[in-house]
Amino acid sequence: MSNSSSLNEFLLLAFADTRELQLLHFALFLGIYPTAILSNGLIVTAIACDHRLHTPMFFFLLNLSLLDLGTISTTVPKSMANSLSNTRAISYSGCAAQVFLVAFLFTGEFSILTVMAYDRYVAICRPLHYGTIMGSRACAKMAAAAWGSGFFTAVLHTGNTFAIPLCQGNTVDQFFCEIPQILKLSCSDSYLREVGVIVFSACLFFGCFVFIVLSYVQIFTAVLRIPSEQGRHKAFSMCLPHLAVVSLFVSTTFFAYLKPPSISSPALDLVVAVLYSVVPPTVNPLIYSMRNKMLKDALRKVISWTFFSSGNIAFALHK
């Protein structure tokens, strides 16, 4: 295949070669995927329906849950379908869509996490000005900027990646279409323009990471100055869920893309990709709901209302 225009499909990396293990992989993802969809969906519903949660912190959490829903829905269903049907194929357009959505959603998610760090900084370090700085219009602009940065980055990456001639076959060594794996299929020296975009994205990612770190340095400095132990505990409780989510996202992503080439292998790359693309969207709702009483109360109300409504419908149908 001389170039990308002659490609009709790509072949993704399978989780297993034997039929039994393929079905096991399908069963595992069948347990994980609905859990992630249900938990993130409940958070979105609870925040949207409970007026007590109409605050900047929960507004950004709603955006994070929407991005998590998109992230896990971009990669997992296709992998499940391939395992169930015993195939590795993904269409050229399907692969391009995955590249676009993965870049869009991951960039948007880290941008939202950066904005959430700023929200926590203002709440703890400048509490008297919180209502002014984090007004509804300002929050909407910050959320729009986060989504917009994801869209802009995705357009750049997708356009550059699929403009590159591909001369090394059509086998992608990953369970979804990942840019570094597609670049391995490119002709010699033809990927330099995309490398430039990757460097730009890496600088943006590093800038956000430094901003989050500096925000938490100032947050912890301010918290340690709080005289009462109860006040310090409340301030830490406000920050710990976000800090845990950021740590999970950054650690898995850093290991995926910055691990030494000497330890890289298709099997390890597969496991690491699951860690950064499947695990965070699944556990983020659990992290946030464990330590937030208001969110837990809202989730209980949503779950109770859902079961009550389902029971009424079933009773009406039975009659």
Side-chain angles (χ1 to χ4, degrees):
M1 297 180 185
S2 59
N3 54 54
S4 56
S5 63
S6 63
L7 287 175
N8 294 319
E9 65 179 19
F10 291 91
L11 298 178
L12 300 175
L13 184 64
F15 274 83
D17 295 327
T18 63
R19 189 62 183 149
E20 292 77 11
L21 290 178
Q22 287 175 349
L23 293 176
L24 177 61
H25 156 244
F26 173 80
L28 288 174
F29 271 19
L30 185 62
I32 293 172
Y33 181 60
T35 301
I37 294 296
L38 179 62
S39 56
N40 282 288
L42 282 173
I43 284 185
V44 170
T45 304
I47 294 173
C49 295
D50 194 326
H51 70 277
R52 297 178 305 161
L53 303 183
H54 293 176
T55 64
M57 181 178 74
F58 291 110
F59 170 71
F60 295 130
L61 178 57
L62 181 147
N63 281 267
L64 181 67
S65 292
L66 289 174
L67 288 163
D68 281 338
L69 283 169
T71 299
I72 199 165
S73 297
T74 299
T75 58
V76 170
K78 179 59 180 175
S79 179
M80 292 171 62
N82 280 4
S83 291
L84 189 62
S85 57
N86 194 22
T87 182
R88 298 169 54 197
I90 183 172
S91 67
Y92 185 88
S93 58
C95 188
Q98 275 197 342
V99 167
F100 176 84
L101 289 172
V102 167
F104 171 46
L105 295 165
F106 273 90
T107 304
E109 180 156 346
F110 197 56
S111 299
I112 283 291
L113 289 173
T114 305
V115 172
M116 292 173 81
Y118 178 69
D119 172 67
R120 295 300 84 203
Y121 161 76
V122 176
I124 292 174
C125 299
R126 304 185 64 184
L128 298 179
H129 302 281
Y130 184 77
T132 304
I133 297 174
M134 302 301 294
S136 57
R137 183 173 296 182
C139 291
K141 288 180 179 178
M142 285 186 275
W147 287 84
S149 66
F151 181 81
F152 177 72
T153 302
V155 169
L156 284 179
H157 278 299
T158 307
N160 279 295
T161 299
F162 288 93
I164 295 170
L166 305 179
C167 311
Q168 309 295 327
N170 66 338
T171 302
V172 179
D173 290 332
Q174 192 50 271
F175 79 98
F176 64 93
C177 286
E178 188 182 43
I179 292 174
Q181 301 300 332
I182 295 175
L183 291 181
K184 291 180 181 180
L185 308 177
S186 65
C187 303
S188 178
D189 299 329
S190 64
Y191 57 85
L192 293 179
R193 186 172 61 175
E194 172 59 14
V195 169
V197 177
I198 291 175
V199 171
F200 168 78
S201 298
C203 292
L204 182 64
F205 187 91
F206 183 72
C208 290
F209 176 71
V210 170
F211 181 88
I212 291 173
V213 170
L214 293 177
S215 296
Y216 271 102
V217 168
Q218 296 185 67
I219 287 171
F220 289 141
T221 301
V223 169
L224 293 175
R225 291 174 181 166
I226 297 176
S228 69
E229 184 177 348
Q230 185 178 1
R232 289 195 299 270
H233 177 74
K234 182 178 179 181
F236 276 124
S237 295
M238 290 171 63
C239 298
L240 283 179
H242 176 259
L243 193 57
V245 169
V246 170
S247 300
L248 178 63
F249 184 91
V250 170
S251 60
T252 53
T253 305
F254 270 25
F255 185 73
Y257 292 105
L258 299 179
K259 65 181 182 297
S262 57
I263 67 170
S264 183
S265 68
L268 180 61
D269 291 345
L270 192 66
V271 172
V272 171
V274 171
L275 288 177
Y276 80 80
S277 65
V278 177
V279 174
T282 306
V283 303
N284 284 353
L286 179 64
I287 292 173
Y288 269 101
S289 60
M290 280 178 61
R291 298 187 62 88
N292 194 293
K293 186 177 183 302
M294 288 177 63
L295 183 57
K296 284 193 287 188
D297 291 342
L299 288 171
R300 288 194 194 100
K301 288 181 181 178
V302 171
I303 294 170
S304 300
W305 179 84
T306 302
F307 278 108
F308 179 76
S309 300
S310 300
N312 285 343
I313 292 172
F315 179 75
L317 290 174
H318 181 71
K319 288 182 66 177

